[in-house]
Amino acid sequence: MRSRKWSKRPGADEQDAEGRGSEPPADDEPKQADSPPVKRAPSDRPAPAAAVPWGVRVAAEAGWRLLVIAATAWVLVQAVSAVRLLVLSLAAAILVAALLQPTVARLNRHGVPQWLATLLTALCGFVLIGLVGWFIVWQVMSNLESLSDRLQEGVEELKRWLLDSPFHITEAQIDNLTEKLSDGIRSMSDELTSAGIQGVTVILEFLTGVLLTVFSTLFLLYDGARIWKWSLKFAPAATRPALQGAGPPAWHTLTAYVHGTVIIALIDAVAIGVGIHILGVPLALPLAVVIFVAAFVPLVGALVSGALAVLVAFIAEGVFTALLAFLIVLGVQQLEGQILEPLILSRAVRVHPLGVILAVTAGGLLAGIGGAVVAVPLVAVANTIVSYLANRGDGRPHEPV
């Protein structure tokens, strides 16, 4: 057989390599133009979240979590507002128990039974509070007539001083202002008269709150440790050891705050009371008691009680005595803020002034004066608990931030 030789045209390899795709396809091969479009599988498509920028995704994740927290806080506030009397009574009982519990413990160490130590301490405390209230009412009622006469004299003196002052105030303007004040007082009297039923309701709520506070204080003094252990059963099992460990530091912080506040309030009351008594201001002792009680409301209490002392001094003794009383009040408050609070309260209950302002404002908006009183100790205790939980297990000593 002869081998057949095949010859190729010159440049056939290049034409075959470069232009093979231009040749028409064979009949048995499907044409590319007539073939249907290839569909991607669903798994091949990019996720919709991949098209969202990273910052927007982070903001969305944080946003819905913040919404959940805000909704939880709103529900909690509504629940607390619905039982505000119960919550405030329990908070007041805890504060009173923190004040009296060291006395009960001291009596126990001297062999007095728990029930007898609790009864003696509570009776002495509540009797003392009742005597203080009776003393304030007695002093005010006994000096009310003379204070009213001095009020009229003080108004006349103020009127003469305004007429002789360089402010060019005329007697007609003073009379117009006096008439407006009288109209305002009469309208307030009418409103108070029409709201008599509400006043009776407030009195009943106050008495109910006092009874709840008394009974709660007795039980907390007598059986506080067992009540604390029982309350831990409502916490998840995994968090009970941490909460049980945070209990003693939190209680120490609360007792330190209450005792320190009592000492500071007593110093303020004695200093201002002695100062205005030396100036000859009437009702010096009742004003000192009011200053002592008002000191438990941070910031606002000292301002209001000091303004009341200056006002009584102005009504009773005139402008110069009121100015001296103002200087006394201002000096005592500066002594309290710069020396007494850092020295007595110490770092264990130190809260930043901004935190104090925000806490007092929030407490006052939610629950009035009672909320303002319990706001700062609540923040101090929360600060201690958070610090303990943050430092738990790292070997460092507990120190509030």
Side-chain angles (χ1 to χ4, degrees), residues 19-168:
R20 183 176 298 174
S22 61
E23 295 179 358
D27 294 337
D28 56 348
E29 295 180 0
K31 296 182 180 180
Q32 188 70 21
D34 298 333
S35 62
V38 179
K39 296 183 179 180
R40 293 183 178 181
S43 59
D44 295 339
R45 296 180 180 179
V52 181
W54 173 254
V56 177
R57 279 188 281 173
V58 171
E61 291 284 338
W64 72 260
R65 286 176 171 84
L66 290 176
L67 287 176
V68 172
I69 294 174
T72 305
W74 184 83
V75 172
L76 181 62
V77 169
Q78 296 301 316
V80 171
S81 299
V83 291
R84 181 174 59 181
L85 178 63
L86 179 62
V87 173
L88 290 179
S89 300
L90 181 59
I94 292 175
L95 293 178
V96 176
L99 178 64
L100 300 179
Q101 192 271 337
T103 304
V104 176
R106 192 175 295 110
L107 291 175
N108 286 334
R109 287 194 297 268
H110 287 81
V112 181
Q114 179 72 15
W115 68 270
L116 184 58
T118 300
L119 185 61
L120 291 176
T121 304
L123 283 177
C124 292
F126 291 123
V127 167
L128 180 61
I129 294 174
L131 289 176
V132 169
W134 169 81
F135 176 75
I136 293 176
V137 174
W138 172 64
Q139 285 287 311
V140 171
M141 295 303 296
S142 60
N143 292 274
L144 186 60
E145 185 177 356
S146 61
L147 190 62
S148 177
D149 296 336
R150 293 188 181 185
L151 175 60
Q152 295 180 0
E153 296 176 359
V155 170
E156 292 295 331
E157 183 180 353
L158 177 61
K159 182 178 179 180
R160 291 193 298 269
W161 182 80
L162 289 175
L163 291 175
D164 298 335
S165 66
F167 298 109
H168 304 290

Side-chain angles (χ1 to χ4, degrees), residues 269-307:
V270 171
I272 296 178
V274 170
I276 60 178
H277 178 71
I278 294 174
L279 295 177
V281 178
L283 301 177
L285 288 178
L287 285 174
V289 175
V290 171
I291 291 170
F292 174 80
V293 175
F296 287 90
V297 183
L299 301 177
V300 180
L303 180 63
V304 174
S305 60

Side-chain angles (χ1 to χ4, degrees), residues 249-254 256-258 347-351 355-356 359 374-387 398 400-401:
W251 182 253
H252 172 73
T253 296
L254 184 62
Y257 175 84
V258 174
R347 289 181 58 86
V349 292
R350 180 174 296 178
V351 180
V356 173
V374 303
V376 176
L378 179 62
V379 171
V381 170
N383 178 43
T384 301
I385 294 175
V386 171
S387 300
H398 164 71
V401 294

Side-chain angles (χ1 to χ4, degrees), residues 120-377:
L120 291 176
T121 304
L123 283 177
C124 292
F126 291 123
V127 167
L128 180 61
I129 294 174
L131 289 176
V132 169
W134 169 81
F135 176 75
I136 293 176
V137 174
W138 172 64
Q139 285 287 311
V140 171
M141 295 303 296
S142 60
N143 292 274
L144 186 60
E145 185 177 356
S146 61
L147 190 62
S148 177
D149 296 336
R150 293 188 181 185
L151 175 60
Q152 295 180 0
E153 296 176 359
V155 170
E156 292 295 331
E157 183 180 353
L158 177 61
K159 182 178 179 180
R160 291 193 298 269
W161 182 80
L162 289 175
L163 291 175
D164 298 335
S165 66
F167 298 109
H168 304 290
I169 298 177
T170 62
E171 188 171 359
Q173 292 175 337
I174 296 177
D175 293 338
N176 187 18
L177 179 61
T178 305
E179 184 178 356
K180 289 182 179 179
L181 290 176
S182 301
D183 294 339
I185 294 174
R186 280 195 296 269
S187 63
M188 290 177 61
S189 300
D190 296 337
E191 291 178 359
L192 291 176
T193 302
S194 62
I197 299 179
Q198 295 181 0
V200 173
T201 305
V202 171
I203 293 175
L204 291 177
E205 289 182 355
F206 176 76
L207 294 177
T208 305
V210 169
L211 291 177
L212 285 174
T213 301
V214 171
F215 283 109
S216 300
T217 302
L218 290 175
F219 283 111
L220 288 173
L221 290 176
Y222 178 73
D223 213 9
R226 218 179 324 182
I227 292 174
W228 168 246
K229 292 180 180 179
W230 171 79
S231 62
L232 288 177
K233 295 180 180 180
F234 294 95
T239 62
R240 289 174 190 170
L243 293 177
Q244 188 173 4
W251 182 253
H252 172 73
T253 296
L254 184 62
T255 54
Y257 175 84
V258 174
H259 292 169
T261 303
V262 169
I263 295 174
I264 293 173
L266 184 62
I267 294 174
D268 290 350
V270 171
I272 296 178
V274 170
I276 60 178
H277 178 71
I278 294 174
L279 295 177
V281 178
L283 301 177
L285 288 178
L287 285 174
V289 175
V290 171
I291 291 170
F292 174 80
V293 175
F296 287 90
V297 183
L299 301 177
V300 180
L303 180 63
V304 174
S305 60
L308 179 62
V310 174
L311 179 61
V312 173
F314 169 74
I315 293 173
E317 300 297 331
V319 178
F320 182 71
T321 304
L323 180 60
L324 294 178
F326 172 75
L327 294 177
I328 292 174
V329 171
L330 183 62
V332 171
Q333 290 183 358
Q334 289 297 318
L335 176 67
E336 172 190 344
Q338 302 298 327
I339 298 177
L340 295 180
E341 287 186 355
L343 183 63
I344 296 176
L345 293 181
S346 73
R347 289 181 58 86
V349 292
R350 180 174 296 178
V351 180
H352 196 275
L354 179 60
V356 173
I357 294 174
L358 295 178
V360 171
T361 304
L365 291 175
L366 293 176
I369 298 177
V373 172
V374 303
V376 176

